[in-house]
Structures are given as structure tokens and as C-alpha cells.
Amino acid sequence: MADVPPMTGPLVLPEDIEIVPLADFPAGLRAKVGGDHHDYAVTRPRSRAPSKVVDAQAAELLREFQKPTTLVEAMLRFSKAVRREPAEVIEDVYPFLESCLVAKLLVEPGTASQTIRASFEKGAVVVNSVANCEVLDCIQVLEDTEIYRVRAGEVEAVLKIARPRSGPEVKRSIGREAEILRRLNGQVAPAILSAGEVEDRRSYLLMEWCPGERCGEAAAAIRAGAHDPVPAALVRLCGELLDTYAKLHGLGVIHSDVHSNNVLVMENGEVRIIDHGLSRIDVEKDTAGDDLERAIHPRGGVGFFFEPEYAKAALSNSMLPISSRAGEQYSVAALVYFLLSGQYYLDFSYAKAEILRQIVEQPPIPLLARGMPGAGALEDVLFRALSKDPSARFPDLGAMASAFRSAAGHLPVRTSRAVRSAFTAVPIPSAEERQLADEGQRKDWFESTLDSLSEPAIALADSGPKFPTTSLMLGATGIAYGLFRIACIREDARLFALAERWLDRAEREIAHDTAFDQPQVRIPPKTAGRISLYHSASGAACVQALLAHSSGDLRARSTATKRFLKFSSHACQNPDLTLGKSGILLGLSLLLDAFRWDRGADHRHLIEAGNNLLTDLWKQFDAMAPIGDPKGSTHLGMAQGWAGYLYATLRWMRSARAPAPSNVQARLQQLANQARWRGSRAFWPSGTRSTGPGLGGWCKGSAGFVFLWTLAHSLLRDTQWLCLAEGAGKDVCHAREEGSSLCCGLSGKAYSQLCLYKHTGNRTWLDNASAMARLAIRKTEILKQTAGSPPLPLSLYKGDVGLAVLLADLEHPESSAMPFFESEAWPASDPHR
């Protein structure tokens, strides 16, 4: 409690605290975090303290501290607002406020209340006791430590450094990690290069740079490209992980912090265990006469991997046990289960007490329920290691690794052809067999999805949260457009007629209260904006114009175009692609691309509207701070950030043959400079103040950047844009744990690979897209078969319709286009050029 501020002086909420209504969360997630739609989640990004779920009155009480105030002053104001006696209020809320102090959700005014951000920018020099380090990249920033990739002399290294005023425990943790790394001497962990203090007395640790990827990402990438439910490469990875942890224990060290971000997989398949700040030397195995102090230090880690003996003590508020070999065996088994299946061994709640109770009481879920038939022998090994009774587990991790290796020999034989792994012969199907199986799976899933859309009168969601009924992203307009695209790809008049029927439904419902807003998903006009292409009537009018153009109904096309221009003319200051003016510019590009093939059509009103909008947007962009300015905060992604602003600009330049705004190249370069590189992979954080790992999806992640940089290369012919596009494309291939959607899941990612295939002609990108489509189908099937899973909305961007369009596009990948985003495959020659 030494770091807890006194409760007598002024206190304030940190600048970066977030108080978010749980009504903004999907119903399934609300149930997991243990609250209802009246409650709030209180969290501080980059803080080690877990989020709190509080009721509405507690959230109001916390808001009393948005400006520095004492507890007494805040509670007097609050008691007056709720019309209760101050003494009664103090008695009720004091324990809650004390817990907020401990969690550092309330702090003293000054540096402790400021946003947690990196101390060093790229290119800064950190002076330590051995050698100066040049900062190459920021890897992670937390409230007590920062981690950087640096150049120390001629080598790349990792610098872990305490944050200013981080306290003595951080110094002890860094010192303990240095001691552990010296003991391991480069075995199973990064080698230590130096440790000590920098000029301002902060403790630091300089370690070997291990250019690997987190084991969760490596496993997800294997699952994404696999045809077998239990891929041989995944079994190999898990076996290597078990061997590495067994070796760590053999060296007398218990990691005490097992989770997927603390294990790196190198390019040669070797595994390295990182972050030894909580590790301890097992004194029972240590012969150097270590005293008890070296064995007793704070427990920590990720709750989903805690052992039952720890969870039981935490539930009963008993003294927490120190980490043990048997307990770590349980944690490692939980990690192996996660790597194999892509899911945790229990369907965890997100409420801390409930997670602990589940660990103590609930048995693991069979792998068959996770979509892994034939893995019974591996399951037997994992379930023994996941025994609630420590004495029922394996004698040690070496014995578990040996049993896992033996169980791998019992995986089912699929064909007569086999691949020899480190453990056993695991058969794989031939290329011809895989292709036939893929085509059959695609066809069955595709036809089933089209059957589900055959009647436009159906409810868009039979259960679970209700979504807007009309919008392009979530409702009938998007379904109509998806069917229209499939009809064009397959030249199917029946599907075109079905698309028109869905569009008729959208037109009938456009005036309903639920057309573009649903309280359960909270996309009201004040959030989405009145002009949003994806969430308002402007998108519906744009789709109507495109369908009318394709059917040759010139009167309907003219009427719909006028409606689009009317709907999109409402006042709006939001420049976003999905919520604001950049989306309207994209819609104008889509219309102009289609209409310009009609020699008799007059496009001047569209070009005038687009040029005026482009001018208006760039007045707004030119007034913004440089991208990456540390004093500012801005989003970088496609849906609501700079990638979207620039993509819409380039699309209009291509469609209207418009001149480039004067600063477009400078802004592209500024955005390019925000790239983070991991080997040949490039990603962008979600915002200029974010230091977390890149995402993969279209809306905020690497997939969206692929479209931007390929278009920039096509128009501007600078090879650096192609380098960025391919770097982002490679990052997309390192699968995350995501769903199948077009917006932020596998379908949108697959389209980014198709974009690169069209741009480069390299079939590797096409193969990647096909693999992602296979995985997306598998995920939708598993979700439908899993009891209690939230139903997918029947929609273009969030449901199965986008995946169906992708499957149709894969039949003719050279003319593919991400729906209502990319330039579509109109005739190959321009009659006006």
C-alpha cells in the first residue's frame, strides 16, 4: 500500500481513464463481464490493474473526480445529487473509492494523472552504464515499465526500462529478471547483455533481440492455412514449447507468467520464453544456498492460465501460494490447449471472481467440441496435466512432453501420403484431394447461405441482439448489394431479381425507427452521422443507383442519384470513411466508375460534387497536425482514420481524373513513417498514441492498409508504396484470433490478399486468400454448432453475406473487388479516354 496516495488530499481521474457503458457491449460480452446494460466498465489503458464493472451511481461518483478534488468534497456533491445524507454515502462508497486508489483509477494530480505514453521517441538515444542505445521502435508501454527495440553498438537488442517514479518493486523485478537471465545464460530465453541504471536512475535491462513471433500468432497462422483439424506443424510447435518449459524447469527456474505473449517462436521453429520479471529460482532445486527472500515475490500473470491451487486461495482471500512446478504444468497445458484449438480450455467469464471459480470447479471442454476430431490421445495428455489435484498431474514437464510426443503418434491417418515430423508420421492429403475437398466445402456453404437469403421477408436476427434493418453495413441494403455482386459475377438473372427484392424491402423500411439505429447495438445517428455511406440512407440511395444502372433503368438511376446527393449534403464535420465525408467521396467514385461507361449520361454533377467535397476535405486535413505528432492523437486505420481519408482521396483522383491535392504525397509519407516492422511484416497501430501490436482486419488493421498502398503505387508509381503494401499483406497473413466478417475478420483480410494478387500477379497472395476463406467457413460452422454462441447478424459486413461474395469472387479473382469499397470490374476500356 506504500504507493497508494493519501485519502485526505486532492485526487483526480487519470487523463486516459475510460468509463464506458456496458450497453455499448454485445449482450454476450456483457454476460461474460458480469454486468447488465445499466452498468459501466472503468479501465485505464496500459495499466496492469484489471477493469472494474460498476453501477451507474458509482460511475457518476467517479466523474466527480474529473477535476482534482478531495474525497470529502466529492462525496458532499454526490450526496446532494442523490439526495442522501453525507454520512450514509461515505459509509457506502468508502470501500469502493479505496479499491479505486489501489487500482490507480484515482491518483494524485500531476504526473501520475497523465496519459501513460512512451518516454522515448524513435531515434532517441538512451544513455546507460555500458553503451548508448538508439531507439528503433517502441514495443510496449505499461504504467511501470517500457520495452523498446534498440540498436546497441552493432547489434539489435531489447531494452526494458522502468518508468519514472515507478517505485522500488519495479527495480526489484528488473533486478530479479537480470539474475534469472544470467542463470539461464542464453538457454531457452534471451541472453542478457547488460543491466543497471540509466542517467536518471531508472533501472534497465538490455537483452538479446529474438526476431520471432508470439506463439499465439504463429499457431493461428498454422491453423489458418491448414486442411487437417490437427495440423502436424501445430503439434510440432506445441511439442517444442513443452520441451522448452521442461528445460527451463531443469535449469531450476519457474517462469510464473505463462501466457501466449510470453513465448516467441523463431524462424527455425525454436521457442524462447521471455519476460522473466515474475520468474523465480526453485530453491528446492538450487544448491547455491539462496535464502527464502528469492522465492517469495508477487504472483501475477493472465487469469485464464492460473492453476486451481492459486485460484482457490485467491477466492478465499488466503495467502497466495508461490509458483510451483506442478502449478506451471497446469498453466503450460492450458497454453497448449489454446494453441491447438484457438480457444481457451474453458468458456471463461470476464469477471475475475467467476474466472477463479471456473478454474477451481469446471472440467476442461473436450477438443472435439472445439472442432478437433481425432485428437483424443492429445486430449488425454492435456486433461491429465489440467487435473484440479496437483498430485494427479505428470511428475514433471519432461514426462508430460514425452507423453505428448507419444500421443502424437495416434493422430488419425487421412491418406497414404505422410510428412515425417519430430514426433511421428502425420499424413496429409494430396493437392488434388485438398482442392476437391475445398471446392465441395465452398459450394455446400455457399448454396446454403444463398438459400438462407431466398426470402427477403425473413427476420435479420432470430435471436440475440437486433441490428439496424436497412443499412449497408448491417441491414437489407447490404444484403441486396451482396446478392447484386454475386449476380454480376455469375451472370445470374435470378439472383439479380432477388437483390432487387431485398432492395425493395430496404426502401419500405427506410423510414422505420430501426432502419439505421438499434438501441442494443448503439449506432444512433449522432454516432454514425446523418451522411454515413455505411450506416445511413445515403448508402441505400447509392446502391439503388448502381442496381438501376445495371438494369438499364435510367429514370430510376437518375432519381436514386439525386437522392444520394441530397442525403449526403447534410452538414457534417466528420471526415471518416465509414461515418463521414470520405465515405461520400468513395460513394461518388463508385457511381462515377459505373456511369462513365454510358456515353449518353451526363456526369458533370457528380464530378462537381466530388471535386467540391475533395476541396472541403483537404481544407480540413491541411489544418490537422502532422500524422504522428506526439502532441496530437489521431486514428490511423481505414474505417475512421488517415488510411481512409487518403484512400478515398486516391479513389476520387482515379475515378474523376482529378488532380492530386497539394499535400497528399506529404500525408502519405507521414502515414508511412508510422509503420512498425517485424522482419518483413509491416503494421500500423490503431492510433498515434497506441503502442500495441497491429491488428489484422480491414477496419483498423493491416488489411485496410494493403488497399491504400497498392492504390498509391498504382497511381503514383513510387516503389516504397509497393513495399509497404506487401509488408502489410504479410502481416495480414499472420492470423489473429478473429471471426469471419468482412469488416474486421477473415473475409476482409482475404480481399486484401486478392488486391495484392491483382496488383502483382503473384499467386501466393491468391493462395493466401483461398486459405483464409476456408478458415472463415470453418469458423462460421463451429460457431453455429457451439451452444451459447451469439448468432451472426445476417449482413454484408458483419455476417455471412460478405463471405459469400468472397467465395464468388474467388471463382474469378482477377476481377474481384471488396464489396462497396474497391473499384469494381466494369468494362476494360474507357470510351471517354
Side-chain angles (χ1 to χ4, degrees):
M1 297 288 289
D3 294 334
V4 177
M7 300 184 74
T8 55
L11 298 169
V12 68
L13 287 171
E15 294 173 356
D16 50 354
I17 206 78
E18 296 178 0
I19 304 177
V20 183
L22 289 190
D24 288 355
F25 292 18
L29 183 56
R30 282 203 303 270
K32 286 195 171 187
V33 301
D36 62 32
H37 67 282
H38 298 297
D39 292 334
Y40 289 77
V42 182
T43 187
R44 188 179 189 189
R46 303 190 182 98
S47 170
R48 293 188 184 273
S51 299
K52 283 180 173 292
V53 175
V54 302
D55 62 22
Q57 283 202 348
E60 285 303 312
L61 175 58
L62 283 178
R63 291 191 180 101
E64 293 287 344
F65 294 91
Q66 289 177 330
K67 295 182 178 179
T69 188
T70 65
L71 289 178
V72 173
E73 292 168 341
M75 286 191 281
L76 284 174
R77 290 194 301 269
F78 180 70
S79 61
K80 184 177 181 179
V82 298
R83 298 179 180 179
R84 295 176 60 192
E85 289 297 322
E88 182 184 348
V89 169
I90 291 173
E91 183 177 349
D92 285 349
V93 305
Y94 193 89
F96 165 70
L97 291 175
E98 187 176 42
S99 70
C100 290
L101 287 166
V102 173
K104 297 183 180 179
L105 300 177
L106 285 176
V107 297
E108 291 181 285
T111 55
S113 64
Q114 294 174 357
T115 300
I116 301 172
R117 57 169 63 97
S119 300
F120 306 105
E121 298 181 7
K122 184 176 180 180
V125 175
V126 184
V127 180
N128 61 51
S129 58
V130 177
N132 295 344
C133 299
E134 179 191 356
V135 173
L136 301 176
D137 203 2
C138 180
I139 298 174
Q140 184 184 64
V141 177
L142 293 173
E143 62 185 325
D144 52 7
T145 56
E146 303 172 16
I147 301 176
Y148 298 89
R149 181 171 65 93
V150 300
R151 181 177 291 109
E154 299 299 319
V155 300
E156 288 190 11
V158 174
L159 174 68
K160 186 173 189 177
I161 187 169
R163 284 180 58 79
R165 292 168 293 278
S166 53
E169 176 52 40
V170 177
K171 182 176 182 178
R172 287 193 293 270
S173 174
I174 291 178
R176 183 167 53 242
E177 184 166 10
E179 184 180 8
I180 293 291
L181 293 181
R182 289 190 186 98
R183 182 185 184 94
L184 296 177
N185 195 27
Q187 301 180 80
V188 308
I192 183 172
L193 302 180
S194 69
E197 293 183 345
V198 295
E199 285 184 335
D200 59 2
R201 309 292 294 172
R202 285 193 274 169
S203 297
Y204 80 89
L205 175 61
L206 194 65
M207 299 166 281
E208 170 192 15
W209 169 253
C210 296
E213 63 179 330
R214 293 180 175 91
C215 66
E217 294 181 3
I222 294 172
R223 293 194 303 272
H227 295 78
D228 296 323
V230 190
L234 196 53
V235 174
R236 254 194 320 273
L237 169 59
C238 293
E240 184 70 24
L241 182 144
L242 287 168
D243 286 341
T244 303
Y245 266 100
K247 188 172 182 179
L248 181 73
H249 284 196
L251 293 167
V253 174
I254 299 176
H255 186 212
S256 312
D257 195 10
V258 177
H259 59 84
S260 58
N261 286 345
N262 279 348
V263 178
L264 295 180
V265 180
M266 315 301 284
E267 288 189 358
N268 62 2
E270 292 182 4
V271 165
R272 290 287 183 271
I273 302 170
I274 62 173
D275 197 351
H276 289 269
L278 295 174
S279 295
R280 74 176 188 90
I281 297 172
D282 187 353
V283 295
E284 295 179 357
K285 299 291 182 180
D286 188 36
T287 59
D290 300 304
D291 59 28
L292 188 61
E293 178 64 24
R294 292 177 59 183
I296 300 177
H297 57 273
R299 287 295 303 268
V302 175
F304 303 139
F305 299 96
F306 286 153
E307 71 271 26
E309 43 271 40
Y310 172 93
K312 186 175 182 180
L315 274 176
S316 62
N317 292 317
S318 304
M319 181 177 291
L320 297 176
I322 63 171
S323 56
S324 66
R325 294 167 181 262
E328 188 139 290
Q329 180 185 143
Y330 186 99
S331 302
V332 172
L335 177 57
V336 170
Y337 184 107
F338 175 74
L339 298 181
L340 285 172
S341 67
Q343 301 177 72
Y344 297 116
Y345 69 99
L346 297 171
D347 288 331
F348 282 111
S349 164
Y350 291 144
K352 181 179 178 181
E354 180 61 15
I355 291 173
L356 296 173
R357 187 196 65 77
Q358 289 178 283
I359 292 171
V360 171
E361 298 177 2
Q362 293 184 1
I365 294 171
L367 288 173
L368 181 61
R370 301 303 198 199
M372 300 183 68
L378 296 180
E379 181 181 285
D380 291 343
V381 174
L382 295 179
F383 280 22
R384 178 177 173 183
L386 289 169
S387 297
K388 307 300 183 183
D389 179 4
S391 65
R393 299 169 197 157
F394 290 96
D396 53 46
L397 268 168
M400 180 186 174
S402 177
F404 187 86
R405 185 178 295 109
S406 176
H410 297 282
L411 292 176
V413 175
R414 294 282 297 271
T415 72
S416 59
R417 300 175 69 245
V419 171
R420 177 68 59 182
S421 76
F423 303 110
T424 184
V426 181
I428 62 171
S430 67
E432 294 78 12
E433 291 169 327
R434 288 201 305 270
Q435 184 176 357
L436 288 173
D438 289 346
E439 290 175 356
Q441 183 187 38
R442 282 187 193 178
K443 182 178 180 181
D444 291 345
W445 189 94
F446 183 83
E447 295 300 330
S448 174
T449 301
L450 288 186
D451 286 344
S452 71
L453 301 173
S454 61
E455 180 45 66
I458 62 172
L460 297 185
D462 295 327
S463 61
K466 301 297 187 290
F467 291 84
T469 59
T470 305
S471 71
L472 178 71
M473 181 164 281
L474 294 166
T477 299
I479 295 172
Y481 184 77
L483 289 167
F484 162 65
R485 279 291 314 283
I486 297 170
C488 292
I489 294 166
R490 294 195 157 192
E491 299 181 347
D492 189 326
R494 178 184 62 86
L495 287 178
F496 189 90
L498 182 58
E500 289 184 316
R501 290 174 61 203
W502 273 99
L503 196 58
D504 289 342
R505 169 182 171 165
E507 177 66 17
R508 289 194 304 271
E509 296 181 353
I510 203 167
H512 291 185
D513 291 341
T514 58
F516 303 106
D517 178 23
Q518 276 283 4
Q520 288 180 299
V521 294
R522 291 184 67 86
I523 311 178
K526 64 181 180 181
T527 299
R530 298 179 66 191
I531 71 169
S532 168
L533 190 69
Y534 294 92
H535 294 288
S536 81
S538 68
C542 192
V543 172
Q544 287 172 332
L546 288 171
L547 263 69
H549 171 74
S550 294
S551 64
D553 189 340
L554 302 185
R555 177 176 295 181
R557 183 183 76 180
S558 175
T559 300
T561 302
K562 291 176 181 177
R563 292 180 68 203
F564 171 70
L565 293 172
K566 177 183 176 182
F567 289 141
S568 59
S569 65
H570 294 297
C572 177
Q573 290 304 309
N574 191 333
D576 289 353
L577 185 83
T578 54
L579 302 180
K581 294 187 290 186
S582 291
I584 297 302
L585 191 63
L586 177 61
L588 288 166
S589 297
L590 289 165
L591 293 177
L592 190 58
D593 288 344
F595 296 176
R596 70 184 182 192
W597 306 107
D598 179 0
R599 292 179 180 272
D602 185 356
H603 320 309
R604 286 176 297 181
H605 62 306
L606 291 178
I607 294 175
E608 181 181 2
N611 287 339
N612 289 339
L613 181 54
L614 184 69
T615 300
D616 182 52
L617 277 167
W618 276 88
K619 286 180 181 177
Q620 192 171 352
F621 297 154
D622 289 342
M624 294 180 180
I627 306 172
D629 186 339
K631 297 178 182 178
S633 176
T634 185
H635 296 293
L636 300 182
M638 183 60 71
Q640 296 170 8
W642 272 104
Y645 308 161
L646 292 167
Y647 180 80
T649 295
L650 297 180
R651 284 281 279 110
W652 183 251
M653 286 168 52
R654 166 176 277 180
S655 298
R657 315 295 193 259
S662 59
N663 287 330
V664 69
Q665 294 256 26
R667 290 298 194 177
L668 284 166
Q669 190 61 59
Q670 290 171 10
L671 185 59
N673 292 343
Q674 299 304 306
R676 307 287 189 268
W677 289 89
R678 288 181 181 167
S680 60
R681 296 161 48 194
F683 68 88
W684 283 256
S686 59
T688 53
R689 290 187 177 178
S690 173
T691 59
L695 303 170
W698 168 83
C699 53
K700 296 181 180 179
S702 301
F705 284 92
V706 169
F707 296 104
L708 171 64
W709 299 124
T710 51
L711 182 54
H713 181 251
S714 176
L715 285 176
L716 306 175
R717 295 298 173 185
D718 188 329
T719 56
Q720 73 163 316
W721 309 139
L722 179 58
C723 178
L724 288 168
E726 293 185 324
K730 291 175 182 177
D731 187 66
V732 170
C733 295
H734 285 257
R736 282 79 169 170
E737 297 306 319
E738 66 253 298
S740 60
S741 77
L742 198 62
C743 178
C744 44
L746 286 159
S747 296
K749 293 175 66 172
Y751 269 113
S752 75
Q753 304 297 288
L754 287 175
C755 178
L756 279 165
Y757 167 65
K758 291 182 296 179
H759 192 70
T760 67
N762 185 339
R763 288 192 62 87
T764 299
W765 302 116
L766 175 59
D767 293 340
N768 293 342
S770 297
M772 290 172 185
R774 286 196 302 270
L775 181 60
I777 292 172
R778 189 185 309 167
K779 281 183 174 274
T780 62
E781 293 298 326
I782 291 174
L783 188 64
K784 290 174 183 176
Q785 297 166 9
T786 302
S789 295
L792 289 172
L794 189 60
S795 66
L796 177 64
Y797 262 76
K798 293 289 188 179
D800 288 349
V801 181
L803 177 54
V805 180
L806 170 64
L807 296 182
D809 263 330
L810 283 169
E811 297 173 4
H812 304 283
E814 291 78 10
S815 58
S816 63
M818 182 159 171
F820 223 75
F821 178 69
E822 275 191 280
S823 180
E824 307 223 341
W826 295 95
S829 60
D830 184 345
H832 299 300
R833 178 172 285 180

